[in-house]
Amino acid sequence: MFPMLLQHLYATTRRAAPRATAGAKRNALWPAGGKRKRINLALQGGGAHGAFTWGVLDQLLADGRIEVEGISGASAGAINAVMLADGLIHGGPEDARTRLADFWRAVSSNGHLPDLQRGVVDRLFSFVPRQGVWFGALSRFWSPYELNPLNINPLKDVIDRFVDFEEVRKQRGLELFISATDVRTGELRIFTRKEITPEVVMASACLPLLFRAVEIGGVPYWDGGYSGNPAVSPFLRATTTEDTLIVQINPLRRRTVPTGTREIMSRVNEINFNASLLSELREVEFVNKLIDEGRLPRGTRSGEFRRIRLHRIALGDAGETLGARSPLNTDFEYFETLHKLGQRAMRRFLDAHFDNIGHRSTIDAPDEVEAEVA
């Protein structure tokens, strides 16, 4: 069993691990001066709850004591990741804050997207098809292949409007990892910064009841949330920092049983999307144990691994208060509520755990998460 696990670990992390760059070369995106701690971000996908992540990122950028070395994201987390990356590249933290705010306002039901893009975005952030001009009631009976034979995907235009992908690919000061699921094998595919295109983000956010599978290099992909939500394993070998902050937006527990069709489908997605995160956390724990036992080399050189210190901000109690229908809501007032919850959660995290960054984990992986599931 051990040789098989180790072989899988080497294979997956090698595909997703660019060469770590010396830390001094990674400060170009951040204001000069001052001592900032470095972290990686792992951003979970979860429909409209991605606005909570917007709030977390907004507060992190405003705080000024932390800089980000790498970002991993899936589904809505992938969209937040590329918005953050593009803003940092073009104008630093303040521009990133503006880019994220402009995006979430645009994709809210109060935004001014064309009807076709509006219909797609509403359904994307709702997890499930809804009534409307495109993919309305007929989507209950027919697949996207039957309803959309020309494979029109207006999501690409929405993403292109906000992100300069050529600049993102060229920027070496920030590593980026986007998850997608290989439809044929069910395996996780992690796209690195140099591979990021609008199609990669579309693949990561490709809900199979809404979109046809996105083909990249002849391989069809569905939503990355099914296999890596978010992927944490790239940080085992890709960046110099050993601290990773997970932003978890899918509630682990619900006190009530969903009874409506949309609520049931939403809960199924929450369960599926959290399952892949648990798998990632177990892999991190496995590597940390091997490092502690001297069976894997620790370091930043080729063939060496980082001993990951894990931190987490979760939608948690707010997600329970908001209810199972909350991922289906796309009005801007609701997004602002989630944004404020995210800001508050980030402030609380920094107040409680800033001194721990660079020294120790603030969650036990995966014991603490599993305890919440039980």
Side-chain angles (χ1 to χ4, degrees):
M1 177 64 72
F2 172 77
M4 292 176 62
L5 288 172
L6 192 57
Q7 182 179 16
H8 171 73
L9 174 65
Y10 268 106
T12 55
T13 56
R14 182 177 298 170
R15 288 195 299 268
R19 182 179 179 182
T21 306
K25 297 181 181 179
R26 293 187 178 273
N27 291 327
L29 304 178
W30 304 88
K35 286 188 176 181
R36 288 182 294 271
K37 293 189 175 184
R38 289 183 184 162
I39 62 170
N40 297 313
L41 294 173
L43 310 179
Q44 192 176 53
H49 285 165
F52 173 83
T53 302
W54 163 36
V56 170
L57 299 177
D58 190 35
Q59 186 61 38
L60 181 152
L61 294 166
D63 183 84
R65 290 180 291 168
I66 290 178
E67 65 181 59
V68 179
E69 188 177 357
I71 314 170
S72 173
S75 198
I79 296 174
N80 272 322
V82 295
M83 297 298 157
L84 173 60
D86 185 81
L88 287 172
I89 289 167
H90 285 92
E94 287 304 312
D95 199 71
R97 296 180 69 192
T98 301
R99 189 64 45 87
L100 284 160
D102 288 346
F103 170 77
W104 281 99
R105 180 176 292 278
V107 300
S108 73
S109 58
N110 309 78
H112 300 289
L113 294 177
D115 288 344
L116 194 57
Q117 292 181 0
R118 162 63 46 221
V120 170
V121 167
D122 281 350
R123 290 158 182 77
L124 172 65
F125 286 109
S126 299
F127 270 151
V128 293
R130 299 168 65 184
Q131 298 296 326
V133 176
W134 196 48
F135 282 99
L138 292 178
S139 63
R140 300 177 183 178
F141 308 103
W142 293 333
S143 80
Y145 292 83
E146 297 166 313
L147 286 174
N148 186 17
L150 298 180
N151 198 21
I152 299 170
N153 191 332
L155 178 61
K156 182 178 183 295
D157 295 331
V158 179
I159 296 170
D160 265 337
R161 172 180 162 184
F162 288 93
V163 180
D164 184 341
F165 283 91
E166 183 176 355
E167 288 299 317
V168 169
R169 289 191 295 272
K170 290 192 300 185
Q171 177 55 247
R172 298 183 60 189
L174 183 68
E175 294 302 342
L176 191 60
F177 306 97
I178 302 298
S179 302
T181 303
D182 186 323
V183 177
R184 292 171 180 166
T185 66
E187 294 182 349
L188 169 65
R189 167 68 193 275
I190 301 172
F191 293 89
T192 63
R193 171 182 49 80
K194 293 181 180 180
E195 301 172 296
I196 304 300
T197 63
E199 288 75 21
V200 167
V201 180
M202 288 163 54
S204 185
C206 180
L207 293 172
L209 292 178
L210 175 58
F211 300 119
R212 294 173 61 167
V214 177
E215 286 202 9
I216 300 174
V219 179
Y221 293 100
W222 278 344
D223 199 294
Y226 299 120
S227 56
N229 193 24
V232 182
S233 55
F235 300 132
L236 291 168
R237 300 183 71 183
T239 58
T240 57
T241 182
E242 294 188 325
D243 288 88
T244 295
L245 173 61
I246 300 168
V247 183
Q248 185 174 2
I249 60 178
N250 292 301
L252 289 162
R253 294 183 295 177
R254 292 286 188 187
R255 292 190 182 131
T256 60
V257 177
T259 56
T261 302
R262 287 169 61 191
E263 289 87 348
I264 291 171
M265 292 184 69
S266 177
R267 185 56 183 153
V268 167
N269 276 292
E270 288 173 352
I271 293 170
N272 287 336
F273 278 15
N274 276 324
S276 59
L277 173 59
L278 291 175
S279 176
E280 287 286 311
L281 295 181
R282 292 187 185 99
E283 185 168 339
V284 168
E285 183 186 42
F286 174 64
V287 172
N288 285 351
K289 181 179 179 182
L290 293 182
I291 290 174
D292 291 344
E293 294 174 350
R295 303 169 78 180
L296 279 180
R298 181 181 183 180
T300 59
R301 294 176 299 183
S302 177
E304 294 179 331
F305 290 81
R306 323 300 180 256
R307 192 188 189 286
I308 300 298
R309 294 181 289 268
L310 287 171
H311 314 276
R312 182 179 57 160
I313 293 176
L315 187 53
D317 292 339
E320 185 61 53
T321 302
L322 292 168
R325 290 182 64 89
S326 58
L328 314 177
N329 197 339
T330 60
D331 65 78
F332 190 67
E333 183 178 354
Y334 174 70
F335 285 172
E336 284 189 310
T337 298
L338 286 169
H339 173 261
K340 291 176 182 177
L341 289 171
Q343 287 180 307
R344 185 171 64 185
M346 188 67 199
R347 285 193 296 267
R348 288 177 174 174
F349 171 81
L350 291 174
D351 289 344
H353 300 302
F354 179 78
D355 290 341
N356 292 318
I357 297 173
H359 299 286
R360 70 178 188 88
S361 294
T362 54
I363 64 170
D364 295 324
D367 295 341
E368 182 176 321
V369 176
E370 289 181 331
E372 295 185 36
V373 177

